[in-house]
Amino acid sequence: MDESWALAQMTRIEVVIAGEDVPLVTELLSKVGATGFTVVSNVSGLGHSGYHQGRLLFNDRNALSLITVVLPAERVRPLLDGLRSLLAHRSGVLLVSDTWVSRPEYFQ
């Protein structure tokens, strides 16, 4: 691979939660110093409680949302601790994976 495509390893965290819990997660992201994140509202999927339609019922708080963030290693543990605490009392899915980014300065 061309050296101009050098990539930096980081951690990607994805959490699927109820729309009403999005502010709690975005507050956690702010506290750990995340420089950005993506929220996708109205996601669909099949889980323990059956199939969940990705459409608005009454408002965005009654639908599922997917939040994705990429962080350097030193910010991962505090976020995971907060998310585990949150998910201990609410439904949701937490996914953590290694990823590589082309512009690591965007995530510092």
Side-chain angles (χ1 to χ4, degrees):
M1 179 182 275
D2 182 334
E3 284 192 30
S4 66
W5 282 94
L7 301 174
Q9 187 171 4
M10 300 232 174
T11 301
R12 179 177 174 154
I13 299 173
E14 298 172 281
V15 60
V16 178
I17 53 166
E20 67 186 2
D21 293 331
V22 168
L24 297 173
V25 175
T26 57
E27 181 180 334
L28 280 172
L29 294 172
S30 178
K31 284 182 179 178
V32 301
T35 58
F37 55 86
T38 300
V39 178
V40 180
S41 300
N42 310 319
V43 296
S44 299
L46 178 65
H48 292 287
S49 61
Y51 188 77
H52 193 287
Q53 295 279 356
R55 57 182 155 78
L56 289 176
L57 299 173
F58 302 104
N59 57 52
D60 62 350
R61 297 175 65 82
N62 292 328
L64 293 178
S65 293
L66 167 67
I67 300 177
T68 302
V69 63
V70 173
L71 295 170
E74 65 272 9
R75 294 195 181 131
V76 172
R77 179 57 54 197
L79 179 58
L80 290 181
D81 290 344
L83 289 173
R84 283 184 173 169
S85 177
L86 176 69
L87 292 174
H89 307 289
R90 292 172 167 78
S91 62
V93 176
L94 174 63
L95 304 168
V96 181
S97 58
D98 290 331
T99 194
W100 288 261
V101 300
S102 64
R103 295 183 285 187
E105 64 276 8
Y106 279 32
F107 304 95
Q108 297 299 327

